[in-house]
């Protein structure tokens, strides 16, 4: 009986050890997988590798312990069974979180959000609450887990309305309006990744080229256009550099595309807004050398839509206010003017379903 007793003591000890280790590991893994930033994902991968290559025997003992806990009814087995059930629930949570989309952010994503209807709501929301606040006041609101903190400046009704504007119309998580300083801008908080915060600065006035150069020289800021700046705050211990700033600036420079029609090719020059203060512009011409002179079609907007019809003619759909026509019109191109805001919004959302393609000043490949 002595060997048997020692064996039982050893197996019980190993059950305690393995259940404890697996429970702690699953808890860490669940927290890491629920965290949507890259650090959490990396921690999850490292944890999985450690378990796979080092502690496979522990998993074997855990399975053995689970079977024994189900079959036996001692006090120790009942306690261990509760831990096993908790482990299974955490394992399910890890699988659920692992299948959720990663919450990421960079300057390219910010540029996509800062256009069209979304840009209108963001700018108007920032201006509205800046004008509402009296001098020498500051309002900082960040939505956490779907709730907003109480405010001494705004009423509960105003805070609910602000939350709706931020979440449903702006796609943002907060606002920072500081009327103590003479900064001349308000911030909308876009996304928090780990300790870092990505934000939009909306200026009250157009920035001069000198001001844009000065702002763009700072490592945590990117000038998008003459009144919009992307900002990155790293928290207390992180790097001050805006992640991917150089790549965004390089991708945002002018580039040329070609639209192939039956009769001839159309050259398209795309100039992104911002970076050095340029206006967004899409230029179209059958002659590549004429893309920057008065003989080409110019559209001062971030997106236009097109299709080539059966006759080989290029059909362009764009807001009428964005178009600057050349001195002499070309019979190979037909302009369809979008006359109102609702029509423009419809094309922006449904152009693909209409059989159209899009030319945009935002690089789709980043």
């Amino acid at each position: 009986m002595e060997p048997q007793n020692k064996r039982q003591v050893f197996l019980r000890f190993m059950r305690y050890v393995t259940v404890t280790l697996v429970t702690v590991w699953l808890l860490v893994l669940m927290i890491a997988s629920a965290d949507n930033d890259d650090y959490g994902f990396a921690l999850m991968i490292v944890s999985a590798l450690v378990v796979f290559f080092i502690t496979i025997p522990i998993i074997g003992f855990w399975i053995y312990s689970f079977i024994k806990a189900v079959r036996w009814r001692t006090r120790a087995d009942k306690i261990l069974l509760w831990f096993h059930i908790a482990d299974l629930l955490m394992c399910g949570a890890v699988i659920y979180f692992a299948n959720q989309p990663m919450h990421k952010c960079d300057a390219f994503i910010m540029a996509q959000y800062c256009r069209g209807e979304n840009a209108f709501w963001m700018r108007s929301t920032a201006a509205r609450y800046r004008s509402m606040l009296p001098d020498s006041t500051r309002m900082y609101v960040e939505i956490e887990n779907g709730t907003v903190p109480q405010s001494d400046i705004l009423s509960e009704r105003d805070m609910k309305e602000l939350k709706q504007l931020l979440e449903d119309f702006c796609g943002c998580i907060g606002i920072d309006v500081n009327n103590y300083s003479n900064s001349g801008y308000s911030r909308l908080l876009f996304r928090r990744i780990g300790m870092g915060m990505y934000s939009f600065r909306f200026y009250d006035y157009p920035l001069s080229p000198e001001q844009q150069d000065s702002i763009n020289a700072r490592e945590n800021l990117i000038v998008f256009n003459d009144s919009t700046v992307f900002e990155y705050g790293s928290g207390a211990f992180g790097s001050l550099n805006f992640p991917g700033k150089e790549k965004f600036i390089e991708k945002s420079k002018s580039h040329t595309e070609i639209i192939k029609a039956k009769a001839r090719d159309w050259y398209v020059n795309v100039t992104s807004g911002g970076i050095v203060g340029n206006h967004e512009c899409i230029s179209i011409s059958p002659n590549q050398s004429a893309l920057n002179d008065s003989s080409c079609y110019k559209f001062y907007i971030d997106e236009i839509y097109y299709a080539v019809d059966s006759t080989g003619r290029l059909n362009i759909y764009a807001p009428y206010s964005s178009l600057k026509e050349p001195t002499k019109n070309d019979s190979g191109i037909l302009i369809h003017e979008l006359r109102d805001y609702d029509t423009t919004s419809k094309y922006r959302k449904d152009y693909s379903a209409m059989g159209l393609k899009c030319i945009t000043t935002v690089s789709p490949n980043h």
Side-chain angles (χ1 to χ4, degrees):
M1 291 296 295
E2 185 66 20
Q4 182 67 24
N5 289 336
K6 289 182 177 180
R7 179 173 177 271
Q8 290 177 347
V9 170
F10 172 75
L11 290 176
R12 176 169 294 184
F13 172 76
M14 287 303 300
R15 288 177 64 187
Y16 293 151
V17 171
T18 55
V19 170
T20 301
L21 290 176
V22 170
T23 301
V24 171
W25 173 73
L26 282 173
L27 182 61
V28 173
L29 189 60
M30 182 180 68
I31 295 173
S33 59
D35 189 358
N36 286 319
D37 63 5
D38 292 336
Y39 174 78
F41 181 74
L43 180 61
M44 181 177 65
I45 296 299
V46 170
S47 300
L49 291 175
V50 169
V51 168
F52 182 79
F53 288 107
I54 298 177
T55 59
I56 290 179
I58 292 179
I59 301 298
F61 271 107
W62 184 92
I63 296 174
Y64 167 79
S65 176
F66 179 66
I67 294 172
K68 292 295 185 181
V70 172
R71 294 177 59 184
W72 296 351
R73 289 293 181 267
T74 66
R75 181 180 179 184
D77 290 316
K78 291 180 180 179
I79 295 174
L80 287 173
L81 182 60
W82 281 110
F83 278 97
H84 282 294
I85 293 173
D87 291 345
L88 292 174
L89 291 175
M90 285 191 288
C91 186
V94 169
I95 296 173
Y96 170 78
F97 288 130
N99 283 279
Q100 298 305 302
M102 294 287 288
H103 197 191
K104 296 183 177 181
C105 191
D106 57 24
F108 293 97
I109 295 174
M110 296 179 74
Q112 291 173 347
Y113 270 78
C114 198
R115 297 177 185 276
E117 184 176 358
N118 210 67
F120 164 79
W121 282 109
M122 287 197 293
R123 183 168 293 280
S124 62
T125 299
R128 174 184 177 184
Y129 284 90
R130 184 171 178 82
S131 63
M132 286 176 59
L133 295 185
D135 294 337
S136 300
T137 57
R138 181 177 184 179
M139 180 180 70
Y140 182 96
V141 174
E142 181 178 349
I143 300 171
E144 297 182 0
N145 300 321
T147 61
V148 292
Q150 297 294 319
S151 172
D152 296 332
I153 303 172
L154 300 180
S155 66
E156 184 177 352
R157 178 180 177 181
D158 289 333
M159 292 294 286
K160 289 182 179 179
E161 185 176 0
L162 172 60
K163 178 178 181 294
Q164 183 181 18
L165 284 171
L166 291 173
E167 292 185 331
D168 299 342
F169 295 91
C170 302
C172 293
I173 63 171
I175 187 172
D176 180 14
V177 180
N178 187 355
N179 283 347
Y180 280 104
S181 64
N182 191 27
S183 60
Y185 66 84
S186 301
R187 284 200 312 144
L188 287 190
L189 315 180
F190 181 51
R191 287 182 182 176
R192 182 179 289 282
I193 307 297
M195 294 296 293
M197 174 67 78
Y198 293 83
S199 306
F200 297 100
R201 286 187 182 184
F202 293 104
Y203 282 80
D204 304 331
Y205 52 86
L207 298 167
S208 67
E210 292 77 14
Q211 289 174 311
Q212 294 180 48
D213 290 341
S214 175
I215 292 173
N216 219 35
R218 296 176 58 181
E219 61 269 25
N220 67 320
L221 300 176
I222 298 176
V223 176
F224 180 65
N225 58 38
D226 62 3
S227 58
T228 306
V229 173
F230 300 161
E231 179 178 351
Y232 174 72
S234 59
F237 304 104
S239 170
L240 292 176
N241 294 322
F242 197 116
K245 177 176 179 177
E246 293 78 11
K247 183 178 180 181
F248 177 76
I249 292 176
E250 182 63 28
K251 286 277 189 178
S252 299
K253 293 179 180 178
S254 298
H255 65 280
T256 302
E257 304 175 10
I258 298 177
I259 300 175
K260 293 188 174 293
K262 289 183 178 180
R264 53 184 167 174
D265 293 342
W266 291 89
Y267 294 91
V268 183
N269 187 71
V270 180
T271 302
S272 175
I275 305 305
V276 292
N278 296 328
H279 292 290
E280 293 171 318
C281 182
I282 300 173
S283 305
I284 299 178
S285 173
N287 185 355
Q288 187 174 10
S289 62
L291 280 172
N292 294 317
D293 61 28
S294 60
S295 65
C296 71
Y297 291 82
K298 291 182 179 291
F299 301 87
Y300 292 97
I301 196 170
D302 62 309
E303 284 186 2
I304 64 172
Y305 317 100
Y306 75 93
V308 178
D309 61 27
S310 58
T311 65
R313 186 165 54 177
L314 178 62
N315 290 256
I316 300 291
Y317 299 79
Y320 77 97
S321 58
S322 69
L323 172 62
K324 181 180 180 182
E325 295 192 72
T327 53
K328 183 179 179 181
N329 289 331
D330 193 303
S331 60
I333 188 170
L334 179 62
I335 307 296
H336 302 267
E337 297 179 345
L338 309 181
R339 286 284 175 177
D340 55 67
Y341 175 80
D342 291 337
T343 303
T344 302
S345 297
K346 181 179 179 181
Y347 273 79
R348 186 179 291 270
K349 294 177 181 178
D350 302 327
Y351 70 87
S352 182
M354 299 177 183
L356 304 176
K357 295 182 179 179
C358 176
I359 300 173
T360 177
T361 57
V362 178
S363 173
N365 300 315
H366 59 274

